Amino acid sequence: MIPKLAAKGSSFKGAAAYYLHDKGASTNERVAWTATVNLATENPEAAWRIMVATAKDQARLKEQAGIRNTGRKSADVVLAYSLAWHPDEKDGLTREEMLLAAHASIKALGADHCQALIVAHQDEPHPHVHVILNRVSPEDGRMLSSSNEKLNLSRWAEAYERGRGKILCEERVANNQARDMLGEFTRAAKDRPRHLHEQEKGLTKSNKGQMVKDQERSKDAALAAKGRDMHKRHRAEWDKLRTDHKDRRAAIIARAKAATSQVRAEIQAARLPAWRQMHKRHFAELRLFKEREQRLTGKIHNALAAIKSMGAVRGENSAQGFLGNAFNYLTSTAKREAALVQRQQFEKRDFAVEQRREVKTRVAAIRTEQRQEERENVKQLGNKVATLRNSQEHDRQNLRSEWRERNTERSGEWSKVRASRDMRRQVAERFSGRSQGRQDRTK
């Protein structure tokens, strides 16, 4: 199962015109069948028009559902993708099975509430369907999220193949394993915490307070920079891990490809003398045939040889072949020569088939070794991932410890500023009280 996303678009009419007709024509012979999802019609022409109306009615649907019509608007309301089965699965693959797979893929995208038109094509050796999906929900007008849609389809396709009992795309399995183990570790930058502003509130009017503010913010900035450097280094380590994994896998594939080419070359070189000998024998047979055609007895000999050879090629009984073809071969030089050439062509074909069979056997062993190396590569990746996670978690714990110490130190410095401010206020209030007392006594 191979899912493939097309670029998002804004025209259901254009999508329907392409998928419901033959390429570059108004005919529709490549369309095997169609189906609809969450639509009140099975007519594909009516279906895409309803989806157009739904998309245009987005604002009213939101209002009716009590959802504010805010946020950035997008015209890309059309999501189209295909689901392709392996050609070997064609025999026995029913419409019902293909339809169930299409419905399951829609659910994997979180779009089982959306309108969709499913179109099955029969113009390729592999069975496949196309899904035209309306990203605007007919329930509340919300736009379907495009987040992780390719990854979700990939994971669904892997689960689908496992459910059918045979993995046909091993590369996808390896990629999904790598994604599971590597993950995504980037974090958005955070705003300055509110409690830091609360610490500074009312304490920065004095020179001492302003100096402490500058000093503490400088220390915070230095530690924050250290944290950013750590995260940058961590991302670089994960990038290197991914690159190393891909490079090892590419090397495994390259070795297998080179080994396969070498096997083909070796077998071809080993069988080349036999091929030349067969070609030389065919040339001699054709020359002898033409010499015999100069005599009546030779023509009879050639005719009998033609009947015999064609009987062997077609798997016929020689007597029956003689009765059915003797007259044609006895009266026509062209037919006798054609029989000889056809028999020689069958010999060449059998020779090539045997050579391909030998290559296939040798290459199968190479493929088995390649798969084992790829499994070992994934296992090695898992071990490296675990080691790197532990190492980076240790770095993060150390950074958190430094931030705790930084917070304690900062709080202590602001406590000193606060205490100094309170002391100045007390002194000022005491001095103000004494001045007021002297003024009262003077009066």
Side-chain angles (χ1 to χ4, degrees):
M1 168 63 69
I2 302 295
K4 186 176 181 180
L5 282 161
K8 294 182 180 63
S10 58
S11 174
F12 288 103
K13 181 179 179 180
Y18 178 78
Y19 294 114
L20 291 175
H21 299 89
D22 298 332
K23 296 178 180 179
S26 59
T27 56
N28 60 354
E29 293 182 0
R30 69 170 176 164
V31 178
W33 51 265
T34 63
T36 62
V37 180
N38 295 325
L39 289 163
T41 179
E42 289 294 328
N43 185 317
E45 294 293 336
W48 71 260
R49 288 178 169 83
I50 294 174
M51 288 195 282
V52 169
T54 301
K56 289 183 177 180
D57 208 21
Q58 184 180 16
R60 187 192 65 80
L61 290 171
K62 283 187 175 182
E63 181 181 0
Q64 190 175 18
I67 299 172
R68 296 178 63 185
N69 190 20
T70 58
R72 186 173 61 182
K73 304 299 185 292
S74 173
D76 294 334
V77 294
V78 183
L79 172 63
Y81 63 95
S82 63
L83 303 176
W85 285 259
H86 194 277
D88 293 344
E89 297 179 283
K90 186 172 185 178
D91 293 335
L93 185 64
T94 64
R95 169 178 174 169
E96 288 70 26
E97 291 175 14
M98 298 173 76
L99 196 56
L100 285 173
H103 279 279
S105 69
I106 293 172
K107 186 175 182 180
L109 290 172
D112 43 351
H113 61 290
C114 294
Q115 299 167 333
L117 173 62
I118 303 170
V119 183
H121 284 172
Q122 54 188 0
D123 58 336
E124 298 291 349
H126 56 276
H128 64 285
V129 298
H130 295 273
V131 180
I132 307 172
L133 189 72
N134 186 1
R135 295 180 66 207
V136 176
S137 170
E139 299 174 355
D140 54 20
R142 291 183 180 180
M143 184 79 78
L144 178 69
S145 172
S146 60
S147 176
N148 294 326
E149 55 192 8
K150 185 175 182 180
L151 177 59
N152 290 338
L153 281 178
S154 175
R155 294 191 186 283
W156 168 80
E158 179 184 344
Y160 176 82
E161 288 190 349
R162 291 189 185 280
R164 289 171 66 85
K166 186 177 182 181
I167 295 294
L168 296 172
C169 185
E170 295 184 355
E171 182 177 2
R172 175 173 54 222
V173 176
N175 289 339
N176 284 336
Q177 287 176 342
R179 292 188 189 104
D180 290 338
M181 288 183 287
L182 292 175
E184 182 58 52
F185 297 92
T186 56
R187 290 188 176 90
K190 296 181 179 179
D191 294 331
R192 184 169 176 80
R194 183 176 181 81
H195 75 276
L196 297 183
H197 294 286
E198 293 295 332
Q199 283 183 344
E200 300 172 358
K201 188 176 181 180
L203 300 176
T204 58
K205 294 181 179 180
S206 65
N207 292 335
K208 175 66 174 177
Q210 188 61 45
M211 182 180 67
V212 170
K213 173 184 175 181
D214 294 340
Q215 290 176 348
E216 297 306 309
R217 287 201 173 189
S218 176
K219 293 178 181 178
D220 288 346
L223 190 54
K226 182 178 180 179
R228 288 193 295 272
D229 290 341
M230 182 194 73
H231 290 305
K232 183 178 180 181
R233 173 168 51 83
H234 284 184
R235 288 194 295 271
E237 290 171 348
W238 285 112
D239 289 342
K240 185 177 185 304
L241 192 61
R242 293 185 185 95
T243 301
D244 290 347
H245 171 72
K246 290 180 180 179
D247 289 345
R248 289 195 301 271
R249 188 169 183 274
I252 292 170
I253 294 173
R255 286 197 299 271
K257 186 176 180 180
T260 299
S261 298
Q262 183 178 355
V263 162
R264 288 197 175 98
E266 289 176 354
I267 293 176
Q268 185 176 7
R271 296 177 64 86
L272 184 58
W275 173 267
R276 288 175 175 170
Q277 184 64 32
M278 180 180 64
H279 189 272
K280 183 177 180 180
R281 175 169 53 80
H282 286 175
F283 182 79
E285 289 174 348
L286 188 58
R287 184 176 57 189
L288 182 59
F289 170 86
K290 292 180 178 180
E291 292 177 356
R292 286 173 176 166
E293 284 296 309
Q294 304 302 318
R295 306 184 305 275
L296 178 61
T297 55
K299 291 180 180 180
I300 296 173
H301 185 279
N302 286 342
L304 293 175
I307 294 170
K308 182 178 179 181
S309 63
M310 292 310 296
V313 167
R314 297 173 181 172
E316 300 172 346
N317 180 275
S318 59
Q320 293 175 345
F322 179 81
L323 293 174
N325 300 299
F327 180 78
N328 289 332
Y329 291 132
L330 285 171
T331 58
S332 174
T333 299
K335 287 186 177 296
R336 291 193 292 272
E337 184 174 359
L340 173 62
V341 172
Q342 187 172 358
R343 192 259 300 166
Q344 291 179 347
Q345 289 175 343
F346 271 90
E347 285 187 24
K348 292 177 181 178
R349 185 204 63 180
D350 291 343
F351 187 95
V353 168
E354 185 179 352
Q355 179 171 309
R356 286 196 295 270
R357 187 182 297 114
E358 185 178 355
V359 170
K360 185 177 181 180
T361 301
R362 295 272 300 275
V363 169
I366 296 173
R367 294 283 186 266
T368 300
E369 183 179 355
Q370 177 186 351
R371 287 191 291 269
Q372 178 61 31
E373 288 183 355
E374 289 184 347
R375 284 192 291 269
E376 290 296 327
N377 187 32
V378 172
K379 183 178 179 181
Q380 182 180 352
L381 174 64
N383 294 335
K384 288 182 178 293
V385 164
T387 301
L388 186 55
R389 281 180 176 168
N390 291 335
S391 173
Q392 293 188 351
E393 179 59 27
H394 180 71
D395 291 343
R396 287 190 287 269
Q397 289 177 356
N398 288 341
L399 184 64
R400 286 193 288 267
S401 178
E402 290 187 56
W403 272 115
R404 285 193 293 268
E405 294 175 1
R406 176 87 277 278
N407 292 336
T408 301
E409 180 185 0
R410 186 192 317 104
S411 297
E413 292 299 323
W414 284 117
S415 295
K416 293 177 184 178
V417 174
R418 188 174 293 105
S420 177
R421 181 199 62 181
D422 293 343
M423 184 177 294
R424 287 196 305 272
R425 284 179 177 177
Q426 292 174 4
V427 170
E429 290 173 358
R430 190 178 298 116
F431 179 78
S432 177
R434 290 177 181 177
S435 298
Q436 185 65 38
R438 283 196 298 269
Q439 290 177 3
D440 291 344
R441 285 194 297 272
T442 301
K443 292 179 180 178

